């Protein structure tokens, strides 16, 4: 039996970052992981592989649509799906082995196998029981399936199967117009699939700003994605080669079907805590399986903490990372802090979508007086030169104080641009602070400054 200050269960972005911070703070640390590689869902079957496929297919889109206009003539590249998969797998490997290197560098023990907590202060991995003064549950989430839909990861797939299809399907039906559905839908659309997205709500990307939802859907439609909105999927009937999705219209209860060669189920995720022994241990969870934690990520059992997708809040890798660092500080006797009001969310399509803080809808509902400064990428020289002028930046600021309350971007590099606003919000900045900051020309970031100017006397280039 080995003894540790901290054992973290799960090596996703929450768990591995927590382990590294614990080690940096001088704690003897181990991390339990049952997969063959470190990095959890994000690195192995989530964020990283999907970004590789998004990048490759965006390059293809550029070649097919914009190269000729730039004077780059010749045949568009053809798709070698096997090579694209190999590129994706290589990217995964580089990232997961990078975490292994960081574990070695920080002297973190990787306890290989699936962990459980037989009692407070003990973690069982395989036949071995290890002691730990503190235990952090960072076991992430799993696909939330729909009743009437059975995932076989061949014809009816989750995001995991969608990353490794045997071939590019002729017809792809996507259930759910959330982040996964739209990112993977974009990948296959660019590869030539006929993509139909079936969504329960009357709009895409639940929770996002309404204006962003409308603009984004319009742009995706222009790229060829078909949408069936306000439709509740009831069942999927699959054979060995194709599937039929049956849905009911929420407007008039009529039933209709969509046929496809592959169906992607992207209707959300649920906390993954199976086999940990949480019930027997007395760790409180909600009826939806979310582990209950206090402001310091402590569960109802002393010495057991939880972070990431298995607790409440957005299921985002970077939220888990922040919690991982913060809980490490708490365990080391310091103060850990996460500002849940400033957690960006990004959809890595083209154009990208990024958001932080309040939406206009939330501000209206709360009855807050606000102003909105908006700037279109049509007025941004760099965006026009790069065939990337679709979309806008919108900054929401308090009407009285000018303090930034939120920002919403549809456009090129939105996922990077949003961080200027995140930093501004962390510092409690006003829109004027951003407007008065010199921004290099020509960059996409000028559109952020222009939106900030639009909160005051007005933008220059519009
Ligand atoms: P999601 O919660 O973003 O979207 C699920 C969608 O499915 C919703 O719009 C919902 O209304 C719809 N839906 C549910 N039941 C339905 C039914 N019976 N018929 C039709 N539509 C139905 O979930 P998603 O896209 O699966 O993503 C899961 C999690 O992973 C999210 O928390 C997401 O934030 C995270 N993620 C984040 C990424 C990023 O940050 N870029 C990338 C991929 C995932």
């Amino acid at each position: 039996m080995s003894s540790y200050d901290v054992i973290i269960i799960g090596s996703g972005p929450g768990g591995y970052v927590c382990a590294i911070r614990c080690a940096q703070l001088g704690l003897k640390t181990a991390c339990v992981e049952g997969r063959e590689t470190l990095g959890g869902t994000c690195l192995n079957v989530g964020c990283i592989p999907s970004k590789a496929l998004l990048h490759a297919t965006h390059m293809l889109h550029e070649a097919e649509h914009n190269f000729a206009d730039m004077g780059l003539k010749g045949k568009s590249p053809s798709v070698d799906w096997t090579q694209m998969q190999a590129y994706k797998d290589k990217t995964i490997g580089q990232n997961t082995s990078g975490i292994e290197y960081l574990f070695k560098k920080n002297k973190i023990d990787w306890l290989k196998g699936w962990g459980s907590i037989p009692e407070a202060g003990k973690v069982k991995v395989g036949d071995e029981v290890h002691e730990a003064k503190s235990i952090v549950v960072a076991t992430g989430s799993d696909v939330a399936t729909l009743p009437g839909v059975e995932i076989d990861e061949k014809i009816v797939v989750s995001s995991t199967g969608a990353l490794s299809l045997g071939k590019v399907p002729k017809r792809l039906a996507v259930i759910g117009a959330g982040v996964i559905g739209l990112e993977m839908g974009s990948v296959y659309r660019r590869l030539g699939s006929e993509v139909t997205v079936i969504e329960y709500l009357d709009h895409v990307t639940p929770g996002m700003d309404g204006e962003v939802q409308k603009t984004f859907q319009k742009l995706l439609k222009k790229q060829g994605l078909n949408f069936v909105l306000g439709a509740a999927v009831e069942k999927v009937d699959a054979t060995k080669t194709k599937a039929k999705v049956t849905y009911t219209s929420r407007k008039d209860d009529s039933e209709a079907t969509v046929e496809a060669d592959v169906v992607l189920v992207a209707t959300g995720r649920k906390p993954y805590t199976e086999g940990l022994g949480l019930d027997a241990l007395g760790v409180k969870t909600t009826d939806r399986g979310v582990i209950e934690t206090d402001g310091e990520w402590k569960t109802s059992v002393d010495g057991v903490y939880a972070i990431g997708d298995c607790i409440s809040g957005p299921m985002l890798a970077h939220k888990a990372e922040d919690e991982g660092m913060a809980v490490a500080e708490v365990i080391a006797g310091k103060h850990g802090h996460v500002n849940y009001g400033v957690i960006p969310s990004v959809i890595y399509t083209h154009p990208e979508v990024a958001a932080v803080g309040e939406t206009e809808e939330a501000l209206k509902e709360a009855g807050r007086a606000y102003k909105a400064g908006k700037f279109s990428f049509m007025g941004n020289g760099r965006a026009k030169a790069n065939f990337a002028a679709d979309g806008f930046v919108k900054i929401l600021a308090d009407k009285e104080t000018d303090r930034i309350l939120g920002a919403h971007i549809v456009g090129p590099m939105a996922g990077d641009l949003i961080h200027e606003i995140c930093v501004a919000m962390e510092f409690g900045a006003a829109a004027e602070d951003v407007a008065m900051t010199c921004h290099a020309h020509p960059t996409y970031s000028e559109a952020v400054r222009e939106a900030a100017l639009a909160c005051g006397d007005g933008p220059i280039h519009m």
Side-chain angles (χ1 to χ4, degrees):
M1 182 192 288
S2 7
S3 244
Y4 294 93
D5 292 318
V6 195
I7 296 182
I8 297 128
I9 307 180
S11 74
Y16 84 72
V17 167
C18 179
I20 292 171
R21 178 58 100 226
C22 284
Q24 286 173 339
L25 292 168
L27 301 168
K28 188 175 178 219
T29 307
C31 183
V32 185
E33 177 54 64
R35 268 182 215 269
E36 277 168 31
T37 47
L38 298 171
T41 300
C42 173
L43 273 68
N44 289 282
V45 285
C47 325
I48 297 299
S50 62
K51 259 78 269 173
L53 294 182
L54 280 158
H55 177 66
T57 56
H58 176 56
M59 294 290 112
L60 175 67
H61 177 94
E62 288 293 280
E64 285 173 347
H65 294 87
N66 297 326
F67 272 20
D69 283 349
M70 287 187 273
L72 300 169
K73 303 273 174 154
K75 249 176 79 190
S76 287
S78 61
V79 175
D80 178 344
W81 182 236
T82 310
Q83 176 58 31
M84 200 180 282
Q85 287 284 317
Y87 149 66
K88 177 206 73 184
D89 292 339
K90 191 174 167 200
T91 310
I92 296 171
Q94 283 167 339
N95 281 275
T96 55
S97 56
I99 308 299
E100 216 175 320
Y101 159 78
L102 289 173
F103 271 20
K104 281 189 191 127
K105 185 181 156 198
N106 286 285
K107 302 194 173 40
I108 297 161
D109 286 346
W110 173 4
L111 306 175
K112 292 186 186 178
W114 301 102
S116 61
I117 313 173
E119 58 185 279
K122 294 206 162 59
V123 173
K124 189 164 182 263
V125 185
D127 295 333
E128 284 191 36
V129 176
H130 305 270
E131 277 182 344
K133 290 184 201 133
S134 301
I135 298 167
V136 180
V137 178
T139 44
S141 60
D142 196 5
V143 179
T145 45
L146 283 177
V149 182
E150 207 173 304
I151 292 175
D152 61 19
E153 296 297 10
K154 286 193 175 76
I155 301 294
V156 184
V157 299
S158 69
S159 52
T160 304
L163 292 165
S164 304
L165 294 179
K167 61 176 192 222
V168 176
K170 200 166 162 292
R171 299 165 304 173
L172 172 73
V174 177
I175 309 176
V179 190
I180 293 180
L182 298 182
E183 287 187 353
M184 292 313 295
S186 285
V187 164
Y188 285 104
R189 176 66 207 125
R190 293 170 193 164
L191 289 167
S193 302
E194 196 183 291
V195 177
T196 305
V197 183
I198 307 156
E199 166 58 47
Y200 181 83
L201 300 170
D202 294 326
H203 52 77
V204 303
T205 60
M208 286 234 162
D209 187 272
E211 203 175 359
V212 167
Q213 290 171 338
K214 281 196 197 95
T215 305
F216 186 42
Q217 193 201 336
K218 222 160 61 192
L219 292 171
L220 291 176
K221 235 172 137 179
K222 222 167 83 185
Q223 291 170 17
L225 278 89
N226 303 311
F227 287 93
V228 182
L229 299 179
V233 169
E234 306 293 351
K235 61 173 180 165
V236 177
D237 296 301
T239 67
K240 279 200 171 116
T241 52
K242 59 181 181 186
K244 191 169 75 186
V245 182
T246 305
Y247 64 84
T248 309
S249 158
R250 289 176 58 225
K251 214 197 245 155
D252 57 14
D253 274 344
S254 60
E255 208 175 83
T257 57
V258 170
E259 280 220 1
D261 305 299
V262 172
V263 177
L264 164 60
V265 183
T267 49
R269 298 178 65 84
K270 57 174 196 283
Y272 179 73
T273 54
E274 247 172 65
L276 285 173
L278 295 187
D279 282 347
L281 189 65
V283 170
K284 278 195 197 149
T285 55
T286 67
D287 50 1
R288 300 183 63 219
V290 177
I291 299 175
E292 290 180 18
T293 50
D294 68 7
E296 288 187 312
W297 303 278
K298 291 177 179 152
T299 68
S300 52
V301 172
D302 264 0
V304 179
Y305 301 78
I307 56 166
D309 283 11
C310 60
I311 69 167
S312 63
M315 288 185 171
L316 296 170
H318 43 280
K319 174 254 191 192
E321 288 182 32
D322 280 25
E323 290 174 342
M325 284 192 273
V327 78
E329 304 278 342
V330 170
I331 290 168
K334 298 167 180 261
H335 294 288
H337 176 69
V338 175
N339 182 355
Y340 287 101
V342 186
I343 294 183
S345 55
V346 180
I347 308 176
Y348 298 88
T349 43
H350 194 83
E352 289 185 351
V353 178
V356 65
E358 304 289 351
T359 61
E360 277 206 62
E361 287 71 24
L363 290 173
K364 276 183 194 144
E365 206 182 306
R368 284 191 74 170
Y370 71 94
K371 51 190 173 177
K374 204 175 141 190
F375 187 78
S376 163
F377 279 100
M378 287 301 280
N380 179 275
R382 182 74 178 276
K384 273 196 291 218
N386 292 3
F387 298 94
D390 283 329
F392 60 85
V393 179
K394 178 164 76 175
I395 293 176
L396 305 172
D398 187 282
K399 195 160 191 174
E400 289 290 307
T401 64
D402 197 35
R403 187 179 175 139
I404 300 176
L405 304 172
H408 305 276
I409 309 177
V410 184
M413 305 295 285
D416 287 275
L417 295 178
I418 197 74
H419 294 95
E420 171 175 2
I421 300 298
C422 295
V423 174
M425 286 176 75
E426 280 288 348
F427 280 80
E432 191 184 28
D433 293 318
V434 175
M436 289 177 67
T437 304
C438 184
H439 285 63
H441 176 76
T443 61
Y444 298 137
S445 76
E446 288 173 287
V448 177
R449 182 195 204 176
E450 294 268 21
L453 280 164
C455 287
D457 295 333
I460 302 296
H461 294 92
M462 198 111 269

